Amino acid sequence: MQEDYLRYRIASTAYLGDHIAEQGVPIVQPPGGHAIYLDAKAFLPHIPADQFPGVALAAELYLEGGIRSVEIGSLMFGAAAQMELVRLGHSAARLHAEPHRLRGEIILQVFARRERSKVCG
């Protein structure tokens, strides 16, 4: 266990989560030390659960900026799904602030045009 690394990881994840949440992106609060969970149901309220909003959001994030994520919702759990989430894992690499800022800007771009997207719309 490296306490300096854990502090860095928690702070950098919080930075990204707080940044996008301040702009209206719905996330599960507080951001975790290992991931941010986007609330796909609130992010894409026009997509019903049976059309997999988490999958649509994960695909759009990848198409827009190569952000890899995973759906945790209706596709993964079927009728037992409690939420429609997209997990944005935090790289184990010590990334500088710029990659986190870039990921945030890509998420904000997708959020701004979420109803006009070919995947999300």
Side-chain angles (χ1 to χ4, degrees), residues 3-72:
E3 291 186 25
D4 287 343
Y5 173 70
L6 292 175
R7 276 191 290 279
Y8 155 79
R9 187 175 173 98
I10 290 166
S12 60
T13 303
Y15 164 81
L16 177 58
D18 292 344
H19 175 65
I20 62 176
E22 287 169 359
Q23 302 301 312
V25 175
I27 68 169
V28 175
Q29 291 284 3
H34 60 89
I36 294 168
Y37 292 86
L38 300 176
D39 182 343
K41 184 176 183 179
F43 197 114
L44 303 172
H46 58 287
I47 299 180
D50 65 350
Q51 292 182 17
F52 310 118
V55 173
L57 181 53
E60 191 67 24
L61 291 170
Y62 186 77
L63 291 171
E64 180 69 24
I67 295 176
R68 294 182 304 153
S69 60
V70 65
E71 179 267 358
I72 301 174

Side-chain angles (χ1 to χ4, degrees), residues 47-101:
I47 299 180
D50 65 350
Q51 292 182 17
F52 310 118
V55 173
L57 181 53
E60 191 67 24
L61 291 170
Y62 186 77
L63 291 171
E64 180 69 24
I67 295 176
R68 294 182 304 153
S69 60
V70 65
E71 179 267 358
I72 301 174
S74 297
L75 184 62
M76 183 180 282
F77 295 112
Q82 298 292 311
M83 302 180 82
E84 300 292 334
L85 301 175
V86 170
R87 181 184 185 275
L88 300 171
H90 185 354
S91 172
R94 285 187 182 246
L95 300 177
H96 298 287
E98 185 61 20
H100 293 296
R101 189 197 63 74

